[in-house]
Amino acid sequence: MTENDDQINSGDESLHDSVPVTGMYKDWFLDYASYVILERAVPAIEDGLKPVQRRILHSMKEMDDGRFNKVANIIGQSMQYHPHGDASIGDAIVNLGQKDLLIDTQGNWGDVRTGDGAAAARYIEARLSKFALEVVFNPQTTEWQLSYDGRKREPVTLPVKFPLLLAQGVEGIAVGLSTKILPHNFCELIEASIEILKGNPTNILPDFMTGGLADFSDYQEGLRGGKIKVRAKIEEEDNKTLVIREIPFGTTTDSLIDSILKANDKGKIKIKKVVDNTAKDVEVVIQLAPGVSPDVTIDALYAFTDCEVSISPNACVIIEDKPVFLTVNKILEYNTKQTKELLRRELEIRKGELMEKLLFSSLEKIFIENRIYRDIEECTTWDAVLEAIDKGLEPYKPDFYREITQEDLIRLTEIKIKRISKFDAFKADELMKRLQEELKEVNYNLKHLTQFAITYYQNLLAKYGKGRERKTEIRAFDTIQAAVVAANNAKLYVNRADGFVGYGLKKDEFVCDCSDLDEIIAIRKDGKMVVSKIQEKTFMGKDILYVGVFRKNDDRMTFNLIYLDGTSGRTMIKRFQVGGVTRDKEYDLTKGTKGSKVYYLSGNPNGEAEVVTVYLTQGAKARIKVFDFDFAEIEIKGRGAGGNILTKYPVRKIQFKMEGKSTLGGLDVFYDPSVGRLNTDQRGKLIGNFLGDDKILVFYKNGDYELTGFELTNRYEPNDVVLIQKFDPKKVVAAIYYDGGSKNFFVKRFLIETTTVNKRFNFITDHKQSHLKLVTTDAQAQVQVKVKKGKETEVMEFDLEMLIDVKGWKAIGNKLSTYPVEELQLIESEISQEEKEQPSEDKNPTSHDELEIGSTIDLSPKKDDEEQLGLF
């Protein structure tokens, strides 16, 4: 034992009675954590309610008389059961009321869309909704417990016959545990429950009161690790105005506008003004700065503001006093089985009630018709009275479903003389008949419990489903590259000699406008290439020949390079594209030998191949010391390829002579209808092969057409697009539309005569119910029309070219049929189908495979062809 130990042992003896911190943590902290998890934050799976919500609903049921009650009174009533203060109860009531399912509200209850809070509890009123009264409460099937002070009874859980947890959603943070279950659609939950009862699999997806668009591809049934993306619904009112009409779940119009203004202040987007016109419906108007693309701005809003948010679900519920992680589909399955069991219990209870009513009705009839009451007139004691009645019922006892008890005999003695005197045997028989019929129905439902539960759900859907249709549109989102859609909020400068690049070098050479999210590529005279994140000022090596914004995975940007190989003395030529790179790593574009240097370099955004003039030195042995070379004569290789031999003679200088055309041919552009975007990744439908001035022609359901460019940032609303294709001004458009004014179908053929890009033109009547049914540019297309002639239906086929001549695009057209049209179907020609299926031809195919260093196409003069090449 050490000296310190002796000192401790001789000290205050109270130290021996102290509790170690580890013991305190083990006992007290775990008790606290369990309390918070079970009693505060995480809902029970049975009713989907936290304790405070359950106590509020129970209190409201006790107070229910059909009229509205002040919320302040409800809070006071709830405090008999919930010992945590009026503030938490008030917040929970407002939260329940704003979900518009269990509580009918009156007064200013705030707005989840704008973030406005509710009025004070003394000013607002509430009562239980009809849905809550029908679905949530049943004292006979409720399990009860004593309240915290032991004075009253409160429900352990409410017998909810509906997946309330999934309908309302819930969020809670406990000690070391959290839960986040997103709200789902009322009607879809009922329909899914019916499918579960039928034995079919289901897959439910969230639905939000705020509407918006949502991508649930990574939802993972609500488990931890899943994620959903929710977007605002943004409409392009015109080229200068965007309107937000639905906002993402978890945001408000105020927070959304704040995020837009912050993005604008940081230069991520360029807007002129934001106006909040929200009243009954959300309306946030965004006025764009001059010259800003609406499509690019929409993408930027999704990339840099709360117009797109990610939500991570975490479905955790309490089952048998333990937190359990379940998928939302498993929770729905549990709730559906629970509903079926509660319905069974209610039927059993009702069966018992009916059998008791039948029993007493039979006893009453026997007691009166057989004048058993006369037998008790001479009885002098209470026991004698009961014995006389029991003796009178003796012959009928075998017909009863249970033994006759003393309570039954006492009830018979309580029948009044007036009732005996006016007893009607016919009415008694009718009553018993009705009870027997109801009992038969109850027994049938118990025997066919699954069908009974299905009918129950169907009745709920019919009574309460109207107006609860899905608000959030299910979509697949494309991934937005932030650097692509970011506004040009910076300017790129370069000091070529010293090797510095950045947006802070304002006294040096201006290169281009850029974004502070961009990456920069620089190629030096020594043949080294490096890609770096843009900064205020960064060193990228001396003697910079080329600098620009680097676009990752850009398969159009092509570099044309001529360099001297330091070992062989040959002048090499190559064309290459830059694929994947590691940031701030140097790449050698020459063979890497000592003395190598670049003679000529150009960057070409669309694979252009220029012509250059090569000047050899005066001392060169070649007879012709000046000659031209066209880069189009060599193929595009990888950046690591050594290149081809341009000449073996020493070169004095190389000069640009003439611009060339792209050797990459046109660009194959595809349209992905699931996201409404163009792409070059072969997703969706091939629109065509596009060159510089080519345009896209789009037809919309409302009868508009529009010419657009083929920029990949273009956006098209998938649900509104009828036809999208490459524009050919020579092709005749044939269309059939419904005129809302005359209630007839019209056919017309016309040429696209307008040339304005990104402007819609309406070519049908302007009635609000008019809409485009079908449209085609196939010259040989036919249409199959089903019309109603009296009581019979007739199907006819028409050649659209024979129906009507080509007229102006503003013409109304001809009536399609004098008979009511029931159905239209376009039959395109076989030639048109073949054109669609045939892939576009590569007009100038090039190999993008990397060539090994040293691989060459020898263009140096040989003895046999020196005269032909003219290189001496």
Side-chain angles (χ1 to χ4, degrees), residues 45 139 160 218-219 334 357 633 724 746 748 767 811 820 866:
I45 192 172
V160 179
D218 193 29
Y219 183 45
Y334 186 102
K357 287 182 178 180
E633 294 182 19
I724 181 170
F746 286 81
K748 62 185 294 185
H767 193 278
E866 282 179 350

Side-chain angles (χ1 to χ4, degrees), residues 142-162:
T142 301
E143 182 182 352
W144 301 92
Q145 63 183 1
L146 290 175
S147 60
Y148 70 93
D149 59 2
R151 286 186 170 89
K152 290 201 170 187
R153 291 194 314 161
E154 64 172 327
V156 176
T157 57
L158 290 169
V160 179
K161 302 185 291 296
F162 177 78

Side-chain angles (χ1 to χ4, degrees), residues 174-427:
V175 180
L177 184 71
S178 66
T179 184
K180 188 166 189 175
I181 299 174
L182 302 178
H184 294 69
N185 181 260
F186 181 91
C187 301
E188 291 177 4
L189 286 174
I190 292 178
E191 290 166 353
S193 294
I194 292 173
E195 291 302 313
I196 290 173
L197 290 169
K198 292 179 178 178
N200 300 325
T202 59
N203 185 32
I204 54 173
L205 297 173
D207 184 31
F208 308 116
M209 291 180 65
T210 52
L213 315 172
D215 185 344
F216 299 109
S217 55
D218 193 29
Y219 183 45
Q220 297 184 24
E221 300 184 72
L223 288 175
R224 286 183 299 178
K227 183 178 288 186
I228 67 172
K229 296 178 182 178
V230 187
R231 287 181 176 177
K233 184 171 283 188
I234 307 176
E235 298 177 4
E236 183 180 335
E237 193 166 89
D238 53 50
N239 288 339
K240 299 179 181 179
T241 310
L242 302 176
V243 182
I244 299 174
R245 302 199 185 277
E246 294 178 8
I247 62 175
F249 176 72
T251 66
T252 65
T253 52
D254 287 345
S255 67
L256 193 68
I257 291 172
D258 286 344
S259 71
I260 294 172
L261 295 176
K262 287 178 182 178
N264 183 64
D265 293 341
K266 293 178 180 178
K268 306 298 184 185
I269 58 176
K270 290 184 179 179
I271 61 173
K272 187 177 180 182
K273 186 167 60 172
V274 181
V275 180
D276 188 2
N277 295 331
T278 301
K280 179 183 177 183
D281 300 313
V282 170
E283 185 178 308
V284 178
V285 180
I286 302 172
Q287 296 181 6
L288 305 182
V292 175
S293 165
D295 288 338
V296 174
T297 304
I298 290 173
D299 281 346
L301 287 170
Y302 289 143
F304 301 115
T305 74
D306 286 347
C307 286
E308 178 181 314
V309 296
S310 293
I311 302 173
S312 299
N314 183 18
C316 178
V317 293
I318 299 298
I319 301 179
E320 297 179 357
D321 292 334
K322 293 180 181 178
V324 179
F325 294 94
L326 286 180
T327 67
V328 291
N329 291 304
K330 287 292 184 183
I331 292 173
L332 180 62
E333 187 177 339
Y334 186 102
N335 289 152
T336 304
K337 291 179 179 178
Q338 174 186 278
T339 298
K340 183 178 176 181
E341 173 60 22
L342 288 171
L343 291 172
R344 185 196 64 77
R345 289 174 61 187
E346 289 181 357
L347 287 172
E348 292 284 4
I349 291 169
R350 182 56 181 164
K351 179 182 177 180
E353 291 173 347
L354 290 171
M355 292 181 72
E356 286 298 304
K357 287 182 178 180
L358 275 170
L359 175 67
F360 186 73
S361 296
S362 300
L363 288 174
E364 184 183 55
K365 183 179 179 182
I366 295 170
F367 181 74
I368 296 173
E369 285 187 340
N370 292 280
R371 300 179 183 272
I372 297 176
Y373 58 86
R374 291 259 180 111
D375 297 340
I376 65 175
E377 292 177 353
E378 298 180 358
C379 295
T380 57
T381 64
W382 176 247
D383 291 336
V385 169
L386 297 179
E387 185 179 347
I389 297 173
D390 188 53
K391 184 177 180 182
L393 295 175
E394 193 68 35
Y396 307 99
K397 286 184 179 180
D399 297 329
F400 299 135
Y401 83 96
R402 65 169 176 81
E403 290 184 1
I404 305 303
T405 64
Q406 186 173 348
E407 287 75 14
D408 299 325
L409 302 179
I410 293 173
R411 283 187 65 190
L412 290 174
T413 64
E414 294 172 351
I415 299 175
K416 296 181 179 179
I417 297 297
K418 185 177 180 180
R419 178 172 175 78
I420 294 174
S421 63
K422 291 187 176 182
F423 181 75
D424 188 333
F426 177 77
K427 288 184 177 180

Side-chain angles (χ1 to χ4, degrees), residues 52 56 71 75 85-96 109 118 121 124:
V52 63
I56 289 168
V71 168
I75 292 173
D86 57 341
S88 62
I89 299 173
D91 291 342
I93 293 176
V94 171
N95 182 267
L96 283 172
W109 281 69
I124 57 177

Side-chain angles (χ1 to χ4, degrees), residues 526-544:
D526 60 2
K528 300 292 195 301
M529 178 194 79
V530 63
V531 175
S532 183
K533 179 76 173 175
I534 189 171
Q535 299 178 41
E536 185 176 359
K537 181 180 179 181
T538 183
F539 181 72
M540 301 188 78
K542 293 185 177 181
D543 297 324
I544 295 174

